[in-house]
């Protein structure tokens, strides 16, 4: 009885495709110089994500239905590349200091830029944006101070959920107009206030952790 080769699963096919794309990228002349990598694939994807930021400024033109959908699509694509570059960095063990520096900057740059631009065309409350951005600055400051003392306050699951809600909310608010029978603006506002609640909750969690650290230090 002849046993045929086992067909590759969908995940294996995706893995092979990713391997092929990485090998193609690695063969680019600009990638290697004297045997040292100038830039790797995850970092290139992160830079591409940052490159989408100027496109968001078209929001200042208060775009109509079609352009709102296009800009929302680009914003969602940029958000999804955050998952992709992290996956690639872990898969190929190419986590670099440049990547660690660029990745959080790219995330905050895209999300905060989109929210600020949405204020100008009256699609998002300014006070909510201010609250979220100030919270991020405070939390980053707390984690930086703790890190300088040798204490690592890791990103909480609440903070990650907050970011996810922000992405969903911003996407819907960029679409703005009725979409697939739903009021995209109303959906975006509802999710935005969920993100705001998570912002307060997760921010309080970081403050409590930092307070406990300062108490034990004394």
């Amino acid at each position: 009885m002849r046993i045929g080769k086992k067909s590759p699963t969908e995940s294996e096919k995706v893995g092979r495709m990713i391997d092929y794309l990485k090998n193609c990228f690695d063969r680019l002349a600009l990638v290697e110089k004297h045997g040292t990598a100038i830039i790797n694939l995850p970092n290139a994807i992160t830079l591409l994500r940052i490159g989408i930021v100027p496109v968001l400024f078209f929001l200042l033109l208060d775009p109509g239905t079609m352009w709102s959908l296009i800009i929302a699509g680009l914003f969602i694509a940029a958000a999804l590349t955050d998952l992709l570059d992290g996956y690639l960095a872990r898969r190929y063990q190419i986590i670099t200091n440049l990547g660690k520096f660029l990745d959080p900057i790219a995330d905050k740059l895209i999300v905060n830029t989109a929210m600020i631009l949405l204020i100008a065309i009256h699609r998002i409350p300014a006070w909510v944006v201010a609250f979220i951005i100030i919270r991020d600055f405070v939390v980053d400051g707390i984690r930086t101070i703790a890190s300088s003392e040798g204490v690592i306050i890791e990103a909480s699951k609440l903070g990650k959920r907050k970011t996810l809600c922000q992405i969903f909310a911003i996407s819907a608010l960029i679409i703005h107009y009725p979409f697939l029978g739903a009021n995209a603006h109303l959906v975006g506002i509802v999710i935005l206030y969920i993100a705001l609640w998570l912002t307060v909750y997760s921010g309080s969690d970081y403050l409590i952790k930092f307070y406990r650290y300062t108490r034990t230090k004394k």
Side-chain angles (χ1 to χ4, degrees):
M1 180 177 176
R2 187 175 180 181
I3 301 175
K5 290 184 179 179
K6 184 180 178 181
S7 299
T9 62
E10 289 301 318
S11 60
E12 288 173 338
K13 290 179 182 178
V14 172
R16 290 176 186 177
M17 185 182 298
I18 291 173
D19 289 338
Y20 174 76
L21 291 173
K22 181 183 179 296
N23 290 334
C24 290
F25 182 86
D26 289 345
R27 282 196 288 267
L28 291 174
L30 294 177
V31 175
E32 297 288 333
K33 186 176 182 180
H34 306 302
T36 303
I38 297 174
I39 189 168
N40 56 48
L41 184 55
N43 291 348
I45 292 172
T46 301
L47 290 172
L48 181 63
R49 186 157 80 251
I50 293 174
I52 292 176
V53 170
V55 179
L56 297 176
F57 280 85
F58 281 101
L59 286 171
L60 292 174
L61 302 176
D62 198 1
T65 307
M66 183 57 68
W67 272 106
S68 291
L69 280 173
I70 292 171
I71 296 170
L74 289 172
F75 176 80
I76 293 168
L80 290 176
T81 60
D82 181 34
L83 300 174
L84 179 60
D85 60 21
Y87 168 77
L88 290 170
R90 291 188 298 272
R91 179 183 175 90
Y92 299 107
Q93 295 296 305
I94 46 178
I95 298 172
T96 62
N97 289 331
L98 178 62
K100 291 179 182 178
F101 173 74
L102 285 177
D103 193 57
I105 287 179
D107 296 339
K108 286 184 172 59
L109 190 61
I110 290 172
V111 171
N112 291 344
T113 299
M115 287 195 299
I116 291 169
L117 292 174
L118 285 169
I119 294 173
I121 55 176
H122 312 292
R123 295 189 187 181
I124 192 170
W127 70 271
V128 174
V129 176
F131 195 95
I132 290 174
I133 291 176
I134 290 171
R135 175 267 186 199
D136 286 344
F137 273 115
V138 171
V139 168
D140 287 344
I142 287 172
R143 295 180 69 184
T144 300
I145 293 170
S147 178
S148 67
E149 297 291 333
V151 177
I152 303 299
I153 301 178
E154 297 195 7
S156 69
K157 291 181 179 179
L158 288 172
K160 293 176 181 177
R161 289 168 185 166
K162 181 267 297 183
T163 302
L164 190 61
C165 282
Q166 279 181 260
I167 291 170
F168 281 125
I170 292 169
S171 300
L173 290 170
I174 292 175
I175 293 172
H176 181 65
Y177 300 97
F179 181 66
L180 297 177
N183 185 331
H185 183 79
L186 179 60
V187 170
I189 289 295
V190 170
I191 300 175
L192 179 69
Y193 280 109
I194 295 173
L196 179 63
W197 179 80
L198 289 170
T199 296
V200 175
Y201 196 7
S202 61
S204 301
D205 183 54
Y206 280 110
L207 287 171
I208 291 169
K209 288 178 180 176
F210 186 67
Y211 174 75
R212 287 174 179 169
Y213 159 69
T214 55
R215 292 283 292 178
T216 56
K217 187 179 177 182
K218 292 179 181 180

